[in-house]
Amino acid sequence: CPTAGMLTPNGKEYAQKIPREELTYVILKLLHAWKEPLSHFNQHMEHHQELPDDSLSKAKQISKMVHELETGIEKVTEKMQSMGIISNSLHGMASSEAAGFSSTNEANMMSDSDFIHCFKRDSNKVQCYLKILKCRIMPENSC
Amino acid sequence: MKQKLMSSVQIILLLPLTAMGLTGQSYPGKPKIIRCRSLEKETFSCWWKPGSDGGLPTNYTLFYSKDSEEKIYECPDYRTSGPNSCYFNKNHTNPWTTYNITVTATNEIGSNSSDPQYVDVTSIVQPGSPVNLTLEAKTSASITYLWAKWSPPPLADASSNSHMYHYELRLKPEEKEEWQETIPVGMQTQYKVSRLNPGMKYVVQVRCILDLGEWSEWSSEKHIQIPSEELPPEKPTIIKCRSPEKETFTCWWKPGSDGGRPTNYTLLYSKEGEEQVYECPDYRTAGPNSCYFDKKHTSFWTIYNITVRATNEIGSNSSDPHYVDVTYIVQPDPPVNVTLELKKPMNRKPYLVLTWSPPPLADVRSGWLTLEYELRLKPEEGEEWETIFVGQQTQYKMFSLNPGKKYIVQIHCKPDHHGSWSEWSSENYIQIPNDFRVKDMIVWIIVGVLSSLICLIMSWTMILKGYRMIAFILPPVPGPKIKGIDTHLLETGKSEELLSALGCHGFPPTSDCEELLIEYLEVEDSEDQQLMPSHSNGNPSKKGKTTPKETDSDSGRGSCDSPSLLSEKCRESRALPSTLQTQDVRDVQENKAVKRSWETQCVASERKTLLSNSESTKSSTWPAAQLPDNQPPMFAYHSTVDARKITLITTNVNVAPVLVENEEKHQSRYSVTETVPGDMEEQGEMENLHSKTEQTAVQVKQNRPNEKSPFLNGTLMDYVEVHKVKQDEEPAVLLKHKENSGKTENYTIPGTSKEYTKVSTVVDHNILVLMPDSRVQHTPMSQEPAKEASQNLQQGQAEKNMSYCLTAPSDCKRETSGSEYMDPSSFMPSFK
C-alpha cells in the first residue's frame, strides 16, 4: 500500500486519545498521500483498453472527489484554527511531511486489485476519523 | 404323627373361631411358591410369595418331603437366599430326588398351607449370569478387534469353582434393536470379536449354562466404541467471524469428524505484515468451537489470517486460512427499547411515532460506529412485510395505518457501510385505535336517514300514483305516426290541412295564378351526374307525391349553402319568379335585376357562383331560349360544381348557333355555364344537339373560349337522356347523365314536348334549376337538349347536394308569355 508507512490510530481508543489537531493532520496526510497514486492509476487505466468506460470515469471521479475532500478539509481546518477549536501547532507539519508515501515505483508494482483494496481501506480510515473528529468537536450533532 | 395331630386339632379348633369373625382377624392367606432354583446342582433355593397375613404377625414355615417318603422336614435355612426363601445346602440336596415342598403360613388364629410343589433339582438348574464383563478395542495390523472378558457367576460356595460353564456372547450396534450376532464361546471366559465396523458403537452381553439345566440370564450390557481407522481428524472449517460493535470480534468454526477419538482444536492467527503467529486468547467466552478476540487483541484496518487446527492421537489437520478485516465484519445487535407513541394533533389524523435505541454495545455517540435502521411492518394476518428504510434517525412517524387493525413491527440496523444487517428486533405489536370521529358518524347517520326518507316518499308516490309515474318514467312506446298526418285530420276530412301536413304546399292549388308553379329542375353537375328531380310542390296532379325533398345530404361539396337552405331560398324566391314572370319578358332590365338577384340568391357556392366574374366562366345558364317568337327552346343548364365537369348542353332547336355570350338579344342563346374554373377542361366540347325537326345545330360555345375551362374533362357529363319523371303532371324532367364525352346524340322524348329551356335558378354549385318553357311546349323540339339539360333526377345520390326547386309551371303562367322565364341573356352582361 502506498500509505503503508504511515502511522495511523488503529482503533477507537487511539483515535479518541490523540489530540484533535493530530487527528486532523492524519486525515489530511492520508488524503494528500493518495493524490499522486490516484492520478498514476488513472493514467494506467487509460491504457487499458478492455476496461469498460464506467470504470474510467469512476476512477476519475474518485480522484476528483479526493482532491475536493482534501481542499474542503483544509478549509475547515483553517476555520477551526481561526475559531480556536484546534490549535495551530501542527499547521506546519502538514506541508513539511507531504511525502508520506512510498515512491511511485512501488506503487507501480502493485496490482490493480491491491491498489484498490488499499484505497478502500484508507478511505474508510478517513471516514472513520472524520466522524470521530466531528463528534469530538461538535458533540451535539447527532452523536 | 403327634405333631400332625396337634396341628390338625389346632386348625379345627381355630376354624370356628375364625368363622365367628371375632375381632376381624383371620387366619393367613395361602402362600405360593414362586420358584425353586439351583445354581449349580448341589444346592437349591425356593422362594415363595406370602398371601394375606390376616392382620396378625404371620410365621412362614416350609416343609418338604423327599420322594415318597413320609418324613417331613423343615427348611434348613431361611436366610441365605433372602426373605421368603429357603436354601437347601449341599447336605440337604439330593439331585435325583423329587422334593415335595409346601409352605405354611401361621398366625394366632390359624394357619394356611400352600399347594405342594414337586421339585426335581436337576430340572431347576440355572446358573447365574457371568460378571465383570470387560471390553477392549485393540488395533493391530490396521484391523480392529474387540476383546471381551468376563468372570463366571459367583457362588456362595467358593469351593465349587470347578464347575464347567459354557458361555455365549452376543453383540449388536448400539442403535440397532436386534442382536446382530450370538456367538457360542465355549468354556473360556474371554473372546475376540472381529469383523467390526470401525467408528461404530457396540453393545455386548454374555451368559452361561451348565451341562444341564437352563441358560442363565444375560449379563448386563456393555458398550464400546470401535475407533475408526487410524486417521487424523477431518479438516475443520471456519464458519464466520463477527464483530458486534466494531471493537471486538469472534470467530466460529465447525469441526470435521473426529473418528471417535478425542480431538483438540486450536486457533492460530497472524496479522498482516507480521510473521508471528498467535493463538486464540479466549476459547470460552463465545461458546464451544469459537474464539473471542477482545479489545486488546483487535486491530482495525489490518487483515487477520486465521486458521483452526484439529489434533488427535494420530495426527492433526488444519483448516483453510480465513482472512478477516474487522472493519468489514461488523454485524450489530438488534435495536432495543422499541416504543410506540400515539400522537393526536388537532385537526389532523392521529399518527404513530415509533422510537428505538441503538443496541447497547454500539458506540454511536462517539461516531465510531454509525448505524442505519430499517423497519418492517405488516398487519397481523398479513403475509408480506413492508420494509421501510429509515436512515440514521431513531424514530419514525407512521401515518398511513388502518385504524382498528393490529400490526407487527420490527426493526434492524446495520453499519452505514461495510457491514451486514443485524437480526430483527423482537416483534412489537401495534394496535391502532379505532378512530370514530363523531363528525363522520353524524354525517353517515344523516345520509342514511335522508336516503331512507327519500325511498319512502318515492315508494309512496309510486303506490299512489303508480301508473302515472310509470308512464312518466317509462313513456309508452309510440305507435307509428306519419309525420304531418294527423289521424284526426283524416277523419275530419280536411284535406287541406292534411295535405299541408304532408308537405304539399299549395295543393290543391289555390287559384292564385300569380303564383307560378314552376317546376324547377335542378341540374346538378356531380360526379354521379345525376340530377335529382325536384318535385313540384303542390302539384295539383300529384297528391302526396310531390313532397319536396329537401334532402340535404352532404355531398361534400363544401358549399356554404346547403341545398336545403338553397331550396329555401329558392322557395322564397319563388315569389320572385312569379313576380318576374308576371312582367313582361321584354322587360329585361327588371328581369335582369331581379333575376340576377334571384340568381345570386340561389346560387350557393361562391365557387360555383354563376355570378363569377370570370368572363367566360361560370355563368349560369339560363334557359335562354325564351324567345317568344320561335325561339327554339333551348336551355342550357349549367351545373356548377366544385371543380367538376360541367357539361353544358344546350340545345337549340331552332336557333342558329348561338354563342353563349352575354348578349342582350333575345335570341336563343345558349349560355354555357361553367362550373368552377378549377380543373375544368376547356370546354371545347359543345353539345351539339340537333333537334329533329328543323334543327339548327346549336352550338353552344363556351363563353370563354380562351380560358381554360376545366369544363369538360374526360368524364364529361353528358346529359343525354331526359326522362319524364312524372308523366301526368307538370313537366318534370329527369336528366340522366351519361358519361360520354362529347357525344352528341339525339334523343327524343316521346310524348313530351316539354322543353326545359328556362333556367330558373342555379342552385348551389351544381344545381341548375330549369323550368320548362311554356312556349316550347308546343313546338316539337328535340328533346335532346332537354334531356341533356336535365340532370338526372334520380334520387340515389344521397351525397349530392341537390335541392329541388320545382314548381310546376302553372298554366296560367304559360299563358303569359315570357313571364315565366328569365332571360338569361339579360344576365349576361352581369357576368362579364
Side-chain angles (χ1 to χ4, degrees), chain B residues 273-311:
Chain B
E274 290 177 27
E275 295 292 336
Q276 189 176 358
V277 176
Y278 307 89
E279 194 185 333
C280 171
D282 186 342
Y283 287 104
R284 297 255 192 110
T285 310
N289 294 330
S290 72
C291 177
Y292 171 73
F293 295 81
D294 58 1
K295 279 191 199 177
K296 282 191 296 183
H297 293 93
T298 311
S299 313
F300 293 90
W301 302 299
T302 49
I303 298 181
Y304 284 72
N305 180 352
I306 301 177
T307 53
V308 176
R309 197 197 310 180
T311 318

XYZ file of all heavy atoms in Angstrom, chain B residues 273-311:
323
model
N 1.313 -8.297 7.663
C 2.611 -7.633 7.798
C 3.465 -8.197 8.913
O 4.616 -7.836 9.035
N 2.906 -9.060 9.719
C 3.698 -9.651 10.787
C 3.862 -11.133 10.530
O 2.982 -11.779 9.983
C 3.016 -9.475 12.138
C 2.997 -8.052 12.624
C 2.225 -7.957 13.934
O 2.182 -8.975 14.667
O 1.635 -6.904 14.196
N 4.973 -11.636 11.007
C 5.214 -13.050 10.830
C 4.716 -13.874 11.996
O 4.441 -15.050 11.853
C 6.736 -13.302 10.659
C 7.310 -12.690 9.383
C 6.787 -13.371 8.150
O 6.374 -14.559 8.246
O 6.757 -12.733 7.078
N 4.642 -13.249 13.123
C 4.371 -14.027 14.316
C 2.954 -14.569 14.329
O 2.002 -13.898 13.914
C 4.582 -13.146 15.534
C 4.537 -13.939 16.801
C 4.840 -13.064 17.976
O 5.110 -11.871 17.807
N 4.797 -13.637 19.145
N 2.873 -15.765 14.834
C 1.578 -16.438 14.902
C 1.140 -16.495 16.348
O 1.917 -16.880 17.234
C 1.677 -17.869 14.322
C 0.351 -18.587 14.480
C 2.076 -17.811 12.857
N -0.062 -16.114 16.561
C -0.604 -16.143 17.911
C -1.683 -17.190 18.006
O -2.247 -17.631 17.004
C -1.223 -14.788 18.274
C -0.320 -13.605 18.071
C -0.280 -12.943 16.850
C 0.495 -13.131 19.093
C 0.537 -11.856 16.663
C 1.314 -12.042 18.912
C 1.332 -11.411 17.692
O 2.143 -10.325 17.499
N -1.961 -17.481 19.256
C -3.071 -18.405 19.460
C -4.244 -17.632 20.036
O -4.084 -16.577 20.651
C -2.664 -19.531 20.415
C -3.654 -20.674 20.375
C -3.323 -21.734 21.388
O -2.123 -21.853 21.743
O -4.252 -22.440 21.814
N -5.362 -18.202 19.853
C -6.599 -17.555 20.281
C -6.526 -17.220 21.764
O -6.180 -18.066 22.573
C -7.771 -18.495 20.044
S -9.319 -17.943 20.768
N -6.877 -16.008 22.115
C -6.775 -15.627 23.526
C -7.906 -16.176 24.383
O -7.744 -16.328 25.589
C -6.847 -14.105 23.486
C -7.550 -13.779 22.212
C -7.245 -14.870 21.261
N -9.008 -16.491 23.810
C -10.164 -16.870 24.629
C -11.039 -17.850 23.861
O -11.663 -17.493 22.866
C -10.958 -15.606 24.971
C -12.079 -15.883 25.930
O -12.486 -17.058 26.093
O -12.561 -14.918 26.527
N -11.031 -19.110 24.380
C -11.865 -20.113 23.701
C -13.243 -20.240 24.305
O -14.097 -20.922 23.776
C -11.191 -21.488 23.771
C -9.997 -21.646 22.880
C -8.711 -21.620 23.400
C -10.158 -21.831 21.517
C -7.617 -21.788 22.576
C -9.071 -21.999 20.674
C -7.798 -21.973 21.221
O -6.723 -22.131 20.397
N -13.413 -19.565 25.410
C -14.593 -19.912 26.193
C -15.750 -18.939 26.034
O -16.898 -19.338 25.953
C -14.220 -19.939 27.678
C -13.210 -20.962 28.023
C -13.908 -22.105 28.716
N -12.894 -22.975 29.319
C -12.715 -23.070 30.612
N -13.480 -22.373 31.437
N -11.786 -23.879 31.078
N -15.403 -17.659 25.992
C -16.457 -16.664 26.183
C -17.595 -16.796 25.188
O -18.755 -16.583 25.513
C -15.859 -15.257 26.049
O -14.716 -15.185 26.885
C -16.851 -14.185 26.420
N -17.215 -17.157 24.009
C -18.259 -17.188 22.981
C -18.839 -18.568 22.783
O -19.611 -18.780 21.874
C -17.693 -16.675 21.661
N -18.482 -19.539 23.608
C -19.098 -20.842 23.479
C -18.162 -21.855 22.859
O -16.978 -21.581 22.610
N -18.643 -23.046 22.621
C -17.797 -24.095 22.061
C -17.452 -23.791 20.613
O -18.207 -23.138 19.891
C -18.674 -25.350 22.178
C -20.067 -24.841 22.228
C -20.009 -23.505 22.864
N -16.301 -24.275 20.231
C -15.839 -24.093 18.847
C -15.832 -22.635 18.440
O -16.304 -22.251 17.371
C -16.707 -24.890 17.867
C -16.555 -26.374 18.087
O -15.504 -26.832 18.507
N -17.620 -27.098 17.826
N -15.326 -21.786 19.299
C -15.278 -20.359 18.984
C -14.031 -19.760 19.594
O -13.399 -20.351 20.465
C -16.512 -19.645 19.529
O -16.421 -19.558 20.942
N -13.743 -18.561 19.130
C -12.608 -17.828 19.677
C -13.001 -16.371 19.767
O -13.499 -15.805 18.793
C -11.377 -17.989 18.782
S -9.962 -17.049 19.349
N -12.751 -15.769 20.908
C -13.179 -14.394 21.139
C -11.947 -13.510 21.236
O -11.043 -13.773 22.039
C -14.000 -14.340 22.428
C -14.340 -12.955 22.900
C -15.302 -12.197 22.241
C -13.685 -12.395 23.998
C -15.625 -10.933 22.681
C -13.998 -11.124 24.433
C -14.970 -10.394 23.770
O -15.290 -9.134 24.192
N -11.946 -12.474 20.413
C -10.843 -11.509 20.453
C -11.324 -10.268 21.169
O -12.265 -9.605 20.716
C -10.427 -11.122 19.036
C -9.840 -12.260 18.246
C -10.641 -13.198 17.630
C -8.458 -12.366 18.116
C -10.094 -14.230 16.897
C -7.902 -13.403 17.378
C -8.720 -14.339 16.771
N -10.693 -9.953 22.271
C -11.154 -8.778 22.998
C -10.509 -7.525 22.426
O -9.811 -7.556 21.413
C -10.859 -8.928 24.488
C -9.368 -9.142 24.720
O -8.599 -9.159 23.727
O -8.969 -9.295 25.877
N -10.758 -6.443 23.120
C -10.334 -5.162 22.560
C -8.836 -5.087 22.354
O -8.356 -4.519 21.375
C -10.778 -4.036 23.500
C -12.199 -3.638 23.325
C -12.485 -2.352 24.078
C -13.982 -2.223 24.292
N -14.335 -1.044 25.072
N -8.136 -5.685 23.290
C -6.687 -5.565 23.179
C -6.157 -6.280 21.961
O -5.141 -5.895 21.393
C -6.027 -6.157 24.431
C -6.086 -5.235 25.617
C -5.190 -5.752 26.704
C -5.725 -7.084 27.182
N -4.948 -7.637 28.317
N -6.853 -7.329 21.617
C -6.329 -8.132 20.531
C -6.942 -7.784 19.194
O -6.673 -8.459 18.208
C -6.585 -9.613 20.801
C -5.821 -10.138 21.967
N -6.343 -10.175 23.241
C -4.564 -10.629 22.055
C -5.443 -10.673 24.064
N -4.351 -10.967 23.376
N -7.762 -6.762 19.193
C -8.418 -6.400 17.937
C -7.753 -5.195 17.349
O -7.651 -4.154 18.011
C -9.901 -6.083 18.187
O -10.468 -7.129 18.961
C -10.643 -5.938 16.895
N -7.311 -5.341 16.144
C -6.750 -4.201 15.436
C -7.590 -3.973 14.194
O -8.059 -4.920 13.555
C -5.303 -4.469 15.023
O -4.566 -4.991 16.094
N -7.700 -2.719 13.866
C -8.517 -2.391 12.703
C -7.640 -2.115 11.511
O -6.444 -1.841 11.643
C -9.389 -1.177 12.999
C -10.412 -1.474 14.034
C -10.121 -1.274 15.372
C -11.627 -2.005 13.684
C -11.057 -1.579 16.336
C -12.554 -2.311 14.639
C -12.272 -2.102 15.970
N -8.235 -2.181 10.422
C -7.546 -1.905 9.178
C -6.306 -2.779 8.994
O -5.343 -2.404 8.343
C -7.179 -0.416 9.057
C -8.401 0.445 9.138
C -9.463 0.430 8.290
C -8.696 1.414 10.135
N -10.408 1.321 8.698
C -9.972 1.952 9.828
C -8.030 1.905 11.253
C -10.572 2.930 10.602
C -8.634 2.880 12.011
C -9.883 3.383 11.689
N -6.366 -3.948 9.611
C -5.326 -4.949 9.367
C -6.029 -6.254 9.095
O -7.065 -6.556 9.690
C -4.395 -5.136 10.574
O -5.205 -5.299 11.744
C -3.464 -3.987 10.755
N -5.435 -7.014 8.255
C -6.048 -8.278 7.872
C -5.497 -9.382 8.756
O -4.282 -9.541 8.876
C -5.781 -8.573 6.396
C -6.412 -7.478 5.544
C -6.327 -9.918 6.011
C -6.234 -7.684 4.076
N -6.408 -10.130 9.358
C -6.023 -11.283 10.161
C -6.057 -12.528 9.296
O -6.966 -12.721 8.506
C -7.021 -11.493 11.310
C -6.873 -10.529 12.458
C -7.258 -9.200 12.331
C -6.365 -10.959 13.676
C -7.128 -8.336 13.397
C -6.244 -10.094 14.741
C -6.626 -8.781 14.587
O -6.504 -7.930 15.641
N -5.057 -13.343 9.510
C -5.019 -14.629 8.828
C -5.272 -15.702 9.879
O -4.412 -15.966 10.723
C -3.647 -14.801 8.167
C -3.521 -16.124 7.433
O -4.383 -16.990 7.526
N -2.440 -16.282 6.698
N -6.429 -16.298 9.834
C -6.871 -17.184 10.915
C -7.001 -18.596 10.404
O -7.557 -18.824 9.324
C -8.240 -16.716 11.460
C -8.125 -15.293 11.985
C -8.723 -17.635 12.568
C -9.415 -14.719 12.478
N -6.498 -19.563 11.184
C -6.691 -20.975 10.867
C -7.014 -21.739 12.146
O -6.625 -21.334 13.238
C -5.426 -21.609 10.252
O -4.322 -21.349 11.117
C -5.132 -21.075 8.878
N -7.690 -22.862 11.976
C -8.047 -23.728 13.106
C -7.404 -25.078 12.870
O -7.478 -25.634 11.781
C -9.578 -23.866 13.224
C -9.925 -24.847 14.330
C -10.211 -22.529 13.503
N -6.817 -25.606 13.913
C -6.151 -26.890 13.766
C -6.783 -27.908 14.692
O -6.984 -27.634 15.879
C -4.665 -26.750 14.103
C -3.900 -27.932 13.555
C -2.561 -28.081 14.162
N -1.801 -26.839 14.140
C -0.578 -26.749 14.635
N -0.002 -27.794 15.156
N 0.066 -25.600 14.619
N -7.078 -29.089 14.126
C -7.643 -30.195 14.913
C -6.558 -31.245 15.116
O -5.903 -31.660 14.160
C -8.834 -30.798 14.187
N -6.419 -31.674 16.356
C -5.355 -32.622 16.673
C -5.931 -33.797 17.432
O -6.746 -33.616 18.334
C -4.286 -31.957 17.552
O -4.036 -30.655 17.064
C -3.009 -32.759 17.555
